[in-house]
C-alpha cells in the first residue's frame, strides 16, 4: 500500500479524529447514502479535521464501497476504516482505505471483564495474543495503525497496560482509550490516561487517543480532561451524534480549546472554526437528526438573548453575555445575504462564498428556486441558501419528483389532496383523503406511486427563525424490514412533507437503505 509519511504533530496540537461517518452514522435513524457520505467527507475536509473515520468496511458491501470512495477522494486528511481484531475485517478495511493518500486501519477488541466473559468468551491471555497478532497483521497493510481497547474505562488498569504494551510492540501508532459506555468521570479518566502514560512501555512512540460517549452527559468534559492529561487525539462527531446518547461533540471540544485553551495545557486544533455551523447544518439535514435548539455552539439559540437584562448588556457590550463571537463559528447564517434584486451573478458569487459550487444547469435551477423563495420570504439567509441547494441536489438524485399538488381542508369531513409525480418521463397521478392536508397528500402519493411502506418518523423544523421560514421535513419509512430516509424543503410544510416522502420512496425504489452492521455473535447488532 502506498502512502504519505505519517503525520507528526507539534506537541500541543491535538489531532481531530472525526467519526461522524462511522460512530455517528450508528445513531438510530441516521442513515446516509454513499453520495451523502461523500458530501459529508468533503465538508469534513473543508472543516480541517485530521482524520476521517469513513466507516466499518466489513459491515456490508455498501459500507465498504463508501469507505473506498471516500479514500479515493479525500486529500490531506487521513482516512480510517474500522475493523474488529480478526484477519477478515482487517483485510477488508485495508482494501477499502488502500487508495487513500493517508490510509489508517483502526482495529479494536474489548478488554473489560464484562465484555470478555459475556461477549467475546475469551481469556485475557487470548485477548493479548489476538492484539499482538492482529496489530502486526494490520501493519502488513499500513504504516498507520490505531488500536482501541473497547470498554477501556471499565477494564482492569494493569491488564490495559499489558494490552497497550502488546499493541505498541506489534507496531500500533495510535492507542485509543474508549469510554465505550459513557461511564467515566473527568478525574478518573485523567488518572487512567496518566497511569497508561507512565506504565505502558514505549507509549511515548504512540499518540494517545480518547473516545467518549455521552451517556452521563460528560463526554466533552472527559475528553478535555484527557487532553489536559496529555492525550493528543480526540475522537468526536459533528453535533455529538452517535450511539445512544451520542459521542463527544466536535464543535464543543474545538471551541473549548479555542476559548479556554490554557485550562487544557495550551492544546490547539487545526479546525476551521467558521465551518462549524455550516457543517453542523449539513450533517443534521442529511442524517435527519435535528440539533437541539440550546445545543452549545451550533444550536439555534446558542447566541440568542431573550431576557431584557441580557439584551441591555449585549447592546452596551457583547462581552457582557457572550464568550464567543457567533460569526467566528460560522453563524453568518442569521444575516441577510441576498435579495431578489441581487441578480444571477450576485447569487453565484454568494454561493461561492459559502463554499457551494454548482454547474450551469444546477445554478439555473437553484436561481429559479431562489427567486421563488425571495418572493415569499423577506430575508434570504446563508442558512436558507445552504438548505435550498442541498435539497435541490438531493432531489435531483431522486427517481420520483413532485410536479404539482393540491390539498384542501374544510370543516365538514377529511382533508383531500391530489398529486402529480414524475418518474423519468412518466406522470403518476393520485388522489387521497386523510386526517389533515399532510396525511391526505401522502395518501395521494401512495395512490400514485404504489410502494407499500409504514411511516415510522416524521419531523418538521424551521431552517431559520421567523414566520416566513422555510420548513425542512424529515421522514423515515420502513418496507420489508429496511429503513429509508428522506428530506424535503419548502416554505410550505405540506409541500416539504411531500418532497421528503418522495425522497424516501425514491430511496426505497433504489434499495438505498440503512447499512446493517454485524456484531460478533449476531448479524444485526451495531458497534458503539
Ligand atoms: O465506543 C467504542 O468503544 C468504539 C470503538 C470501536 C472505538 O466506538
Ligand atoms: Zn464509540
Amino acid at each position: 500500500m502506498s502512502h504519505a509519511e505519517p503525520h507528526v504533530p507539534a506537541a500541543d496540537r491535538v489531532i481531530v479524529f472525526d467519526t461522524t461517518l462511522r460512530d455517528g452514522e450508528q445513531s438510530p435513524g441516521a442513515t446516509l447514502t454513499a453520495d451523502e457520505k461523500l458530501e459529508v467527507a468533503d465538508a469534513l475536509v473543508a472543516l480541517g479535521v485530521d482524520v476521517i473515520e469513513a466507516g466499518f468496511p466489513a459491515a456490508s458491501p455498501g459500507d465498504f464501497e463508501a469507505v473506498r470512495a471516500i479514500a479515493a477522494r479525500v486529500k490531506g486528511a487521513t482516512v480510517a476504516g474500522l475493523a474488529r481484531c480478526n484477519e477478515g475485517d482487517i483485510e477488508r478495511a485495508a482494501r477499502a482505505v488502500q487508495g487513500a493518500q493517508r490510509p489508517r486501519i483502526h482495529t479494536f477488541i474489548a478488554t473489560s471483564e464484562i465484555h470478555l466473559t459475556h461477549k467475546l468468551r475469551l481469556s485475557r491471555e487470548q485477548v493479548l495474543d489476538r492484539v499482538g497478532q492482529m496489530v502486526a497483521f494490520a501493519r502488513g497493510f499500513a504504516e498507520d495503525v490505531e488500536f482501541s481497547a473497547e470498554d477501556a474505562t471499565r477494564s482492569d488498569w494493569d491488564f490495559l497496560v499489558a494490552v497497550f504494551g502488546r499493541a505498541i510492540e506489534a507496531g500500533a501508532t495510535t492507542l485509543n482509550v474508549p469510554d465505550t459506555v459513557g461511564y467515566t468521570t473527568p478525574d478518573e479518566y485523567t488518572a487512567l490516561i496518566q497511569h497508561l502514560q507512565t506504565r505502558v512501555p514505549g507509549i511515548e512512540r504512540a499518540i494517545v487517543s480518547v473516545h467518549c460517549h455521552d451517556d452521563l452527559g460528560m463526554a466533552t468534559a472527559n475528553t478535555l480532561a484527557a487532553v489536559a492529561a496529555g492525550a493528543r487525539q480526540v475522537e468526536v462527531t459533528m453535533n455529538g451524534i452517535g450511539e445512544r446518547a451520542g459521542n463527544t461533540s466536535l464543535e464543543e471540544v474545538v471551541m473549548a480549546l479555542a476559548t479556554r485553551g490554557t485550562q487544557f495545557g495550551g492544546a490547539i486544533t487545526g479546525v476551521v472554526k467558521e465551518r462549524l455551523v455550516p457543517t453542523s447544518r449539513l450533517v443534521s439535514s442529511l442524517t435527519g437528526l435535528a440539533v437541539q435548539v440550546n445545543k452549545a455552539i451550533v444550536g439555534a439559540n446558542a447566541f440568542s438573548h431573550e431576557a431584557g437584562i441580557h439584551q441591555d448588556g449585549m447592546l452596551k457590550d457583547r462581552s457582557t453575555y457572550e464568550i464567543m463571537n457567533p460569526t467566528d463559528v460560522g453563524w453568518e447564517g442569521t444575516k441577510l445575504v441576498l435579495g431578489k434584486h441581487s441578480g444571477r451573478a450576485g447569487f453565484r458569487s454568494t454561493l461561492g462564498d459559502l463554499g457551494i459550487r454548482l454547474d450551469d444547469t444546477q445554478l439555473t435551477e437553484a436561481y429559479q428556486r431562489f427567486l421563488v423563495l425571495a418572493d415569499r420570504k423577506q430575508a434570504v439567509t446563508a442558512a436558507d441558501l445552504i438548505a435550498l441547494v442541498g435539497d435541490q441536489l438531493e432531489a435531483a438524485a431522486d427517481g420520483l419528483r413532485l410536479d404539482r399538488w393540491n390539498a384542501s381542508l374544510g370543516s365538514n369531513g377529511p382533508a383531500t389532496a391530489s398529486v402529480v409525480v414524475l418518474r423519468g418521463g412518466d406522470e403518476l397521478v393520485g388522489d387521497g383523503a386523510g386526517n389533515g392536508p399532510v396525511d391526505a397528500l401522502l395518501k395521494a402519493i401512495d395512490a400514485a406511486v404504489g410502494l407499500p411502506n409504514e411511516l415510522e418518523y416524521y419531523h418538521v423544523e424551521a431552517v431559520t427563525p421567523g414566520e416566513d421560514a422555510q420548513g425542512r421535513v424529515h421522514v423515515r419509512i420502513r418496507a420489508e424490514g429496511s429503513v429509508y430516509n428522506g428530506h424535503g424543503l419548502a416554505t410550505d410544510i405540506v409541500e416539504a412533507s411531500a418532497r421528503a416522502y418522495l425522497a424516501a420512496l425514491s430511496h426505497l425504489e433504489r434499495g438505498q437503505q440503512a447499512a446493517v452492521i454485524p456484531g460478533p455473535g449476531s448479524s444485526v447488532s451495531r458497534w458503539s
Side-chain angles (χ1 to χ4, degrees):
M1 190 182 288
S2 73
H3 27 81
E5 284 294 302
H7 190 62
V8 184
D12 48 5
R13 174 72 157 72
V14 171
I15 296 168
V16 174
F17 174 115
D18 181 278
T19 182
T20 305
L21 291 171
R22 198 278 298 171
D23 225 345
E25 210 233 358
Q26 292 178 208
S27 306
T31 51
L32 297 172
T33 63
D35 285 347
E36 289 169 340
K37 286 184 185 179
L38 278 172
E39 209 180 324
V40 172
D42 286 347
L44 293 173
V45 171
L47 181 64
V49 308
D50 303 287
V51 185
I52 296 173
E53 186 165 52
F56 184 6
S60 69
D63 250 52
F64 176 88
E65 269 314 312
V67 177
R68 206 190 47 73
I70 291 169
R73 168 124 142 196
V74 163
K75 298 285 169 268
T78 296
V79 177
L82 185 69
R84 288 166 293 188
C85 261
N86 66 57
E87 290 190 358
D89 271 30
I90 292 170
E91 272 189 59
R92 226 41 209 142
R95 273 203 278 140
V97 297
Q98 72 183 356
Q101 199 182 43
R102 298 178 188 278
R104 174 179 295 188
I105 298 173
H106 176 193
T107 188
F108 74 99
I109 192 165
T111 49
S112 67
E113 229 31 62
I114 303 176
H115 280 235
L116 262 58
T117 312
H118 301 294
K119 187 179 85 176
L120 297 176
R121 304 214 165 87
L122 291 175
S123 68
R124 288 187 178 190
E125 267 316 306
Q126 286 172 313
V127 168
L128 272 176
D129 288 346
R130 183 83 74 89
V131 170
Q133 286 158 7
M134 291 305 116
V135 170
F137 185 66
R139 275 302 302 258
F141 297 100
E143 282 174 25
D144 187 347
V145 172
E146 171 169 342
F147 169 74
S148 285
E150 192 192 10
D151 207 15
T153 53
R154 291 193 301 165
S155 303
D156 177 77
W157 287 17
D158 290 335
F159 181 51
L160 274 183
V161 169
V163 167
F164 282 129
R166 195 65 73 90
I168 289 196
E169 258 172 37
T173 45
T174 298
L175 300 179
N176 186 32
V177 190
D179 183 29
T180 303
V181 291
Y183 180 70
T184 200
T185 63
D187 286 350
E188 184 184 66
Y189 209 32
T190 300
L192 173 57
I193 300 296
Q194 287 170 343
H195 181 83
L196 296 172
Q197 277 168 333
T198 49
R199 305 285 169 87
V200 177
I203 197 161
E204 64 290 344
R205 296 201 299 273
I207 300 282
V208 174
S209 167
V210 287
H211 174 118
C212 297
H213 283 264
D214 207 29
D215 298 67
L216 291 172
M218 290 191 281
T220 298
N222 290 334
T223 299
L224 291 167
V227 169
R232 282 296 173 265
Q233 177 174 283
V234 291
E235 301 200 355
V236 289
T237 60
M238 203 63 231
N239 301 335
I241 63 170
E243 281 275 354
R244 307 183 307 277
N247 287 59
T248 307
S249 286
L250 180 149
E251 63 278 11
E252 291 177 9
V253 172
V254 165
M255 288 315 292
L257 293 180
T259 313
R260 303 300 318 273
T262 52
Q263 293 295 307
F264 309 105
I268 50 166
T269 73
V271 165
V272 182
K273 299 190 286 296
E274 294 75 17
R275 298 295 311 159
L276 287 171
V277 170
T279 313
S280 159
R281 281 204 204 99
L282 178 78
V283 168
S284 168
S285 79
L286 293 180
T287 58
L289 298 175
V291 175
Q292 76 195 53
V293 290
N294 59 329
K295 171 79 183 62
I297 325 292
V298 295
N301 289 353
F303 294 92
S304 309
H305 302 269
E306 186 72 26
I309 191 165
H310 287 205
Q311 288 179 354
D312 178 52
M314 285 290 294
L315 289 173
K316 290 174 176 147
D317 190 316
R318 294 188 79 89
S319 66
T320 50
Y321 287 102
E322 252 177 30
I323 57 165
M324 294 167 276
N325 188 337
T327 56
D328 286 352
V329 298
W331 271 109
E332 305 81 356
T334 53
K335 285 193 200 148
L336 173 66
V337 292
L338 276 182
K340 64 180 167 184
H341 305 297
S342 304
R344 194 182 148 101
F347 178 73
R348 183 199 287 271
S349 122
T350 306
L351 288 183
D353 292 346
L354 293 170
I356 301 171
R357 285 167 302 280
L358 298 178
D359 64 29
D360 280 347
T361 320
Q362 291 168 331
L363 186 79
T364 303
E365 187 182 339
Y367 186 57
Q368 293 310 323
R369 288 187 68 172
F370 157 71
L371 290 178
V372 173
L373 178 64
D375 257 347
R376 292 188 190 168
K377 190 171 185 294
Q378 282 181 353
V380 177
T381 67
D384 285 318
L385 290 183
I386 290 165
L388 183 142
V389 173
D391 184 66
Q392 175 191 325
L393 296 181
E394 195 180 338
D398 291 339
L400 297 166
R401 303 192 65 178
L402 184 64
D403 186 41
R404 41 192 201 275
W405 64 279
N406 191 300
S408 56
L409 183 63
S411 52
N412 310 323
T416 55
S418 57
V419 72
V420 179
V421 173
L422 299 179
R423 183 195 271 132
D426 296 338
E427 285 201 345
L428 312 176
V429 180
D431 298 312
N435 187 10
V438 172
D439 190 35
L441 188 53
L442 299 200
K443 290 215 168 87
I445 291 175
D446 280 339
V449 174
L451 288 170
N453 70 85
E454 272 170 50
L455 181 64
E456 249 189 20
Y457 176 80
Y458 174 89
H459 177 82
V460 56
E461 64 179 345
V463 174
T464 49
E467 282 172 8
D468 58 357
Q470 295 189 95
R472 177 163 37 213
V473 171
H474 171 60
V475 301
R476 186 162 73 232
I477 60 174
R478 181 178 287 274
E480 293 180 0
S482 295
V483 165
Y484 306 87
N485 283 309
H487 318 101
L489 183 80
T491 46
D492 182 306
I493 62 156
V494 181
E495 181 170 326
S497 305
R499 288 180 186 276
Y501 190 49
L502 284 169
L505 290 172
S506 296
H507 291 159
L508 191 170
E509 218 168 40
R510 293 187 182 165
Q512 290 174 322
Q513 82 274 28
V516 177
I517 299 178
S522 82
S523 58
V524 290
S525 70
R526 285 176 163 250
W527 291 106
S528 57

